[in-house]
Amino acid sequence: MNYFSSDFKLGILGGGQLGKMLLYNTRKFDIYTCVLEASNKAPCKIACDEFHLGDLMDYNAVYNFGKQVDVLTIEIENVNVDALETLENEGVKVYPASNTLRTIQNKAKQKLFYIDHNIPTADFSRFAYISEIEDAVANGGLKFPFVWKAAQFGYDGNGVKVVRQLSDLDGLPKGECIAENLVPFKNELAVIVARNASGDTKTFPVVEMEFHPEANQVEYVICPARIPDDVARKATEVALKVSKAFNHVGLLAVEMFQTKDDAILVNEVAPRPHNSGHQTIEASYTSQFEQHLRAILNLPLGRTDNKVGGVMVNLVGAEGYTGNVVYQNIENIMTMDGVTPHIYGKKQTRPFRKMGHVTIVNEDLNEARRIAEEVKKSIKVISE
Amino acid sequence: MNYFSSDFKLGILGGGQLGKMLLYNTRKFDIYTCVLEASNKAPCKIACDEFHLGDLMDYNAVYNFGKQVDVLTIEIENVNVDALETLENEGVKVYPASNTLRTIQNKAKQKLFYIDHNIPTADFSRFAYISEIEDAVANGGLKFPFVWKAAQFGYDGNGVKVVRQLSDLDGLPKGECIAENLVPFKNELAVIVARNASGDTKTFPVVEMEFHPEANQVEYVICPARIPDDVARKATEVALKVSKAFNHVGLLAVEMFQTKDDAILVNEVAPRPHNSGHQTIEASYTSQFEQHLRAILNLPLGRTDNKVGGVMVNLVGAEGYTGNVVYQNIENIMTMDGVTPHIYGKKQTRPFRKMGHVTIVNEDLNEARRIAEEVKKSIKVISE
């Protein structure tokens, strides 16, 4: 197949910011692109060859879109998997595979998949209804504290809650869920694995999510992670094992815990470019977006080590501000060495809404980390 | 002015490949963009917010387009300068300035400008008609060999010819031209200077154009140039002097000769992102396109040194092939370390047509240069 001609069409399900960054990279290779998205205001609209309006969870919308393309990928997991399965059977190359998405979309299934494949993960129990959790606590089968996770449709911290007493369950969705051991961990790590259809595999360096000491929110993604080599090696091996277990094609971002005794436990995965890989645009020899394209088009994978150290800071709406967005002090952070803001173009801010990210690169990772702190102190996403 | 909102509009004259690469960078900053271009098939069409059809040399087309934007820039020099002058008088920020473009558009004026500002350049004579060159040769005022250059509208090697005998003038355009001393040089160098409206200035490292030993064509752009520090310093000083003389805002690419005795002579300039800066996308802390935006929006300029060594190879149509383009062995070059192809998306190839470029980056510049040679040997732009 000649990707470098207009006979070939790449389809992307989802028209958000990840899709937009993926689309920029298709331009390097002059790939013809089609996007399906429910909103006419999607960021991708300006960057694709064909924009199709449609609901990603609707069988017909996804099927009719997918049958027009040669390779179909996603930028968001919540899509109609039955349609993907039909498309696969009809010869469309779907990456990630419908099977993989079906497993990942349901956190209980995802956890069982790890157990079945001897992939280390925190112990958990599965419940069809949240009321069953109450029963399990009552009869001693489940002890506080534990982590409640909705089986479906949770992301970006939604659908996850630490439960320390029964009343913490109040107001949570009633449906299928898991209760997971609360693992005391030293670090939250992530490895992005790229695998093409020929089975060639490359991993990006292990990254470290550094948490705010009080707010328990990820503040910095640091690449490479400041961990011993043997821990990095172990995390990379686990990530590779997960990618292989899924027989995955494309990028797979594997989020893991490094426990107090340096065990590695898989938390969850994303079968696509991921927030933990944004720093690759500036720091790596190959950006995660270019690598995803190389993988799903079965091209040779690019070099994944860093040119320089990279730190990523998310730009989220400040508390107390809702309305037309203003990036206070953005010019200030642009005076700092190796700082690149990525503004996603959302016109309205609200507390904690993800509005962009900032990458800080430097030949000295500690210096990048220091500048990242300056960035964090300086810029503020507020409203007019 | 708040660039990071849709109240602000950036206008770009020209819809070609340079404009497209510039547009990708506007997305990082969420800048609203308008493009004027005569062809409905322009590469920029897919990457801008508003696409306007119109002739860049037409006063009304440029004026009517320009009065709708806040800042106006170019991606090609051949635009209607009178319209730019009117727009400047009406308060539109035009970078590069109409004055600068008027000087640069005419090679005789450009050379006189260097003389007036004590900027070193090869000796030359100006002629209103090519017949005056014949007279000057006949009366001994001009000796072979010399370089004939059309005063206007020549680029990419058009409008330039080495003249060793009278018959070499046959078939050349009859109009205004210059005859320049043929300077024996060691190296052709270039420096890109960025200057914002506040007058802050940064220079990218000196790059070296390495020529094919026989074909006398630029084969590789190498960054940084493999020249002594004092020569690099001198070239940078000259480039800064040129930028200051023009009171230039935006990028100014200054092409220079390093003579046999290490003098620096300015050859010509381009007031925009330039072929000699493409490697900055992968090699530099700030790409030339982002830097041009920072400069014309009067934002702080980014860091301009290299993360790693960079070499750029132009992809041009091979001799003997005309028609639907095929990038033979592109997958082969993608197996090589640090190699990124940039395919411009032109559907038809013809001999020497610029179809794209390839960047090769490596921590060791010599290794990048070695891989660049492999790239050059491997990929071939042919037709179906």
Side-chain angles (χ1 to χ4, degrees):
Chain A
M1 204 179 312
N2 180 13
Y3 302 121
F4 305 100
S5 89
S6 55
D7 301 342
F8 174 84
K9 290 188 180 184
L10 171 66
I12 302 173
L13 296 174
Q17 186 57 34
L18 286 174
K20 196 168 78 168
M21 293 192 274
L22 190 62
L23 283 165
Y24 296 159
N25 281 274
T26 64
R27 294 299 157 218
K28 282 195 251 190
F29 303 144
D30 188 36
I31 290 163
Y32 192 91
T33 52
C34 310
V35 167
L36 181 71
E37 169 63 54
S39 163
N40 231 325
K41 290 185 180 164
C44 281
K45 203 176 171 188
I46 197 179
C48 60
D49 292 281
E50 290 179 23
F51 185 79
H52 298 241
L53 261 185
D55 182 348
L56 299 176
M57 293 305 292
D58 180 74
Y59 179 93
N60 288 320
V62 172
Y63 174 74
N64 291 327
F65 173 78
K67 71 182 179 180
Q68 299 171 54
V69 303
D70 301 284
V71 172
L72 186 59
T73 191
I74 59 158
E75 62 111 45
I76 185 167
E77 285 89 338
N78 293 332
V79 300
N80 188 294
V81 178
D82 293 332
L84 295 186
E85 198 175 331
T86 310
L87 289 164
E88 282 169 346
N89 291 335
E90 293 181 4
V92 178
K93 288 173 178 159
V94 180
Y95 306 124
S98 60
N99 257 344
T100 302
L101 274 174
R102 220 185 273 287
T103 304
I104 288 173
Q105 278 183 353
N106 185 299
K107 277 193 185 143
K109 272 197 191 166
Q110 192 182 144
K111 293 283 286 187
L112 289 171
F113 179 88
Y114 300 143
I115 306 295
D116 289 348
H117 289 83
N118 281 315
I119 291 161
T121 190
D123 288 338
F124 74 103
S125 305
R126 179 184 192 175
F127 299 95
Y129 303 99
I130 206 164
S131 57
E132 294 182 359
I133 291 192
E134 289 159 17
D135 298 344
V137 169
N139 67 30
L142 186 61
K143 299 213 183 316
F144 299 117
F146 60 84
V147 184
W148 167 88
K149 293 182 177 177
Q152 299 212 53
F153 302 122
Y155 61 100
D156 273 355
N158 286 316
V160 176
K161 190 174 183 184
V162 176
V163 178
R164 297 181 191 281
Q165 54 200 25
L166 264 189
S167 62
D168 289 340
L169 294 171
D170 293 352
L172 294 180
K174 301 295 171 212
E176 190 186 359
C177 56
I178 63 171
E180 193 178 65
N181 274 8
L182 183 61
V183 179
F185 58 85
K186 271 190 209 169
N187 279 309
E188 205 167 327
L189 307 174
V191 172
I192 294 178
V193 181
R195 195 163 167 279
N196 68 15
S198 303
D200 298 333
T201 299
K202 289 201 180 181
T203 56
F204 285 93
V206 184
V207 301
E208 166 195 354
M209 271 70 119
E210 188 182 332
F211 281 70
H212 187 281
E214 287 135 41
N216 199 35
Q217 257 198 332
V218 176
E219 281 209 286
Y220 307 103
V221 172
I222 297 175
C223 181
R226 298 160 301 178
I227 53 173
D229 285 352
D230 62 322
V231 176
R233 216 163 16 241
K234 207 191 296 179
T236 304
E237 278 163 17
V238 169
L240 280 166
K241 192 170 178 184
V242 179
S243 166
K244 199 172 175 195
F246 279 115
N247 201 19
H248 188 66
V249 174
L251 292 193
L252 189 73
V254 183
E255 295 187 69
M256 293 166 279
F257 299 118
Q258 176 193 359
T259 68
K260 298 283 180 204
D261 55 350
D262 288 343
I264 297 292
L265 300 177
V266 172
N267 180 22
E268 57 179 28
V269 300
R272 53 167 170 78
H274 188 248
N275 196 259
S276 66
H278 286 341
Q279 76 292 336
T280 58
I281 299 172
E282 286 86 5
S284 174
Y285 276 92
T286 309
S287 85
Q288 66 166 343
F289 301 99
E290 179 176 333
Q291 195 77 310
H292 186 63
L293 290 175
R294 287 179 178 236
I296 64 175
L297 300 180
N298 203 23
L299 291 166
L301 299 174
R303 190 176 160 181
T304 49
D305 52 333
N306 273 21
K307 293 171 189 166
V308 287
V311 177
M312 196 277 289
V313 173
N314 283 316
L315 280 185
V316 299
E319 276 187 280
Y321 297 91
T322 298
N324 292 334
V325 65
V326 175
Y327 300 92
Q328 196 177 51
N329 293 329
I330 187 165
E331 300 199 10
N332 188 7
I333 70 166
M334 287 176 78
T335 63
M336 302 175 190
D337 265 356
V339 169
T340 306
H342 291 258
I343 304 299
Y344 295 168
K346 299 172 183 172
K347 299 305 169 206
Q348 302 286 314
T349 185
R350 55 175 185 265
F352 306 113
R353 186 174 194 202
K354 210 182 278 178
M355 302 298 286
H357 74 266
V358 181
T359 310
I360 302 94
V361 287
N362 200 284
E363 50 274 55
D364 175 357
L365 182 64
N366 293 321
E367 178 64 6
R369 171 65 184 74
R370 191 193 64 72
I371 295 171
E373 202 164 323
E374 293 296 310
V375 166
K376 191 111 191 156
K377 276 185 199 152
S378 188
I379 193 167
K380 202 169 171 188
V381 182
I382 60 172
S383 53
E384 283 177 342
Chain B
M1 200 180 310
N2 181 13
Y3 302 120
F4 305 100
S5 87
S6 56
D7 301 343
F8 173 84
K9 290 188 179 183
L10 172 65
I12 302 173
L13 296 174
Q17 186 57 32
L18 286 173
K20 196 167 81 169
M21 293 192 274
L22 189 63
L23 284 165
Y24 296 158
N25 281 274
T26 64
R27 295 296 155 219
K28 282 196 250 189
F29 303 143
D30 188 36
I31 290 162
Y32 191 91
T33 52
C34 310
V35 167
L36 180 71
E37 169 62 54
S39 163
N40 230 326
K41 288 185 179 164
C44 282
K45 202 176 172 188
I46 197 178
C48 61
D49 292 282
E50 290 180 22
F51 185 78
H52 298 241
L53 261 186
D55 182 348
L56 300 175
M57 294 305 291
D58 180 75
Y59 179 93
N60 289 321
V62 172
Y63 174 74
N64 291 329
F65 173 78
K67 70 180 182 183
Q68 300 172 52
V69 304
D70 301 284
V71 171
L72 186 59
T73 190
I74 59 156
E75 61 111 45
I76 186 167
E77 285 90 337
N78 293 332
V79 300
N80 189 295
V81 177
D82 292 332
L84 296 187
E85 198 175 332
T86 311
L87 290 163
E88 281 169 345
N89 292 334
E90 293 181 3
V92 177
K93 289 175 177 156
V94 180
Y95 306 125
S98 60
N99 257 344
T100 302
L101 274 174
R102 220 185 273 288
T103 304
I104 288 173
Q105 279 183 352
N106 184 300
K107 277 193 184 144
K109 273 197 192 166
Q110 193 182 144
K111 293 284 284 188
L112 290 171
F113 179 88
Y114 300 143
I115 306 294
D116 288 349
H117 290 82
N118 281 315
I119 291 160
T121 191
D123 289 338
F124 74 103
S125 306
R126 181 185 190 174
F127 300 95
Y129 302 98
I130 207 165
S131 57
E132 295 182 0
I133 291 192
E134 289 160 17
D135 299 344
V137 169
N139 67 30
L142 187 63
K143 299 213 181 317
F144 300 117
F146 58 85
V147 184
W148 166 89
K149 293 181 178 178
Q152 299 213 54
F153 302 123
Y155 60 99
D156 273 355
N158 286 317
V160 176
K161 190 174 183 185
V162 176
V163 178
R164 299 181 190 280
Q165 56 200 25
L166 264 190
S167 62
D168 288 341
L169 294 170
D170 294 352
L172 294 179
K174 302 295 171 211
E176 190 187 359
C177 57
I178 62 171
E180 195 178 65
N181 275 7
L182 183 62
V183 179
F185 57 85
K186 270 190 209 168
N187 279 308
E188 205 167 328
L189 307 174
V191 172
I192 295 178
V193 181
R195 195 163 167 278
N196 68 15
S198 302
D200 298 333
T201 299
K202 288 201 181 180
T203 55
F204 285 93
V206 184
V207 302
E208 165 194 354
M209 271 71 117
E210 188 182 331
F211 281 70
H212 187 280
E214 287 135 42
N216 199 35
Q217 258 199 332
V218 175
E219 280 210 285
Y220 307 102
V221 172
I222 298 175
C223 181
R226 299 160 299 178
I227 53 173
D229 284 353
D230 62 323
V231 177
R233 219 166 12 243
K234 207 191 296 179
T236 304
E237 279 163 17
V238 169
L240 281 166
K241 193 170 177 184
V242 178
S243 165
K244 201 174 174 192
F246 279 116
N247 201 21
H248 188 67
V249 174
L251 293 193
L252 189 73
V254 183
E255 295 186 69
M256 292 166 280
F257 299 116
Q258 176 193 357
T259 66
K260 298 282 179 204
D261 56 350
D262 287 345
I264 297 291
L265 300 177
V266 171
N267 180 20
E268 58 179 28
V269 301
R272 51 165 173 78
H274 189 248
N275 195 259
S276 66
H278 285 341
Q279 76 292 338
T280 58
I281 298 172
E282 286 85 6
S284 175
Y285 276 93
T286 309
S287 85
Q288 66 165 344
F289 300 100
E290 179 177 335
Q291 194 77 313
H292 185 64
L293 290 173
R294 288 180 178 236
I296 64 175
L297 300 179
N298 203 22
L299 291 166
L301 299 174
R303 189 177 162 181
T304 49
D305 52 332
N306 273 20
K307 294 170 188 165
V308 286
V311 176
M312 195 277 289
V313 173
N314 283 316
L315 280 185
V316 298
E319 277 187 279
Y321 297 91
T322 298
N324 291 334
V325 65
V326 174
Y327 300 92
Q328 196 178 48
N329 292 330
I330 189 166
E331 301 198 10
N332 186 8
I333 71 166
M334 289 176 76
T335 63
M336 301 175 190
D337 264 356
V339 169
T340 306
H342 292 258
I343 303 299
Y344 295 167
K346 299 172 185 173
K347 300 305 169 207
Q348 302 286 315
T349 185
R350 56 174 183 263
F352 306 113
R353 187 176 193 198
K354 211 183 275 176
M355 302 298 287
H357 74 265
V358 181
T359 310
I360 302 94
V361 288
N362 200 287
E363 50 275 54
D364 175 357
L365 182 64
N366 292 321
E367 178 66 4
R369 172 64 184 75
R370 190 192 65 72
I371 295 171
E373 201 164 320
E374 294 295 311
V375 166
K376 192 115 187 149
K377 277 186 201 153
S378 188
I379 193 168
K380 201 170 171 188
V381 182
I382 59 172
S383 53
E384 281 176 345

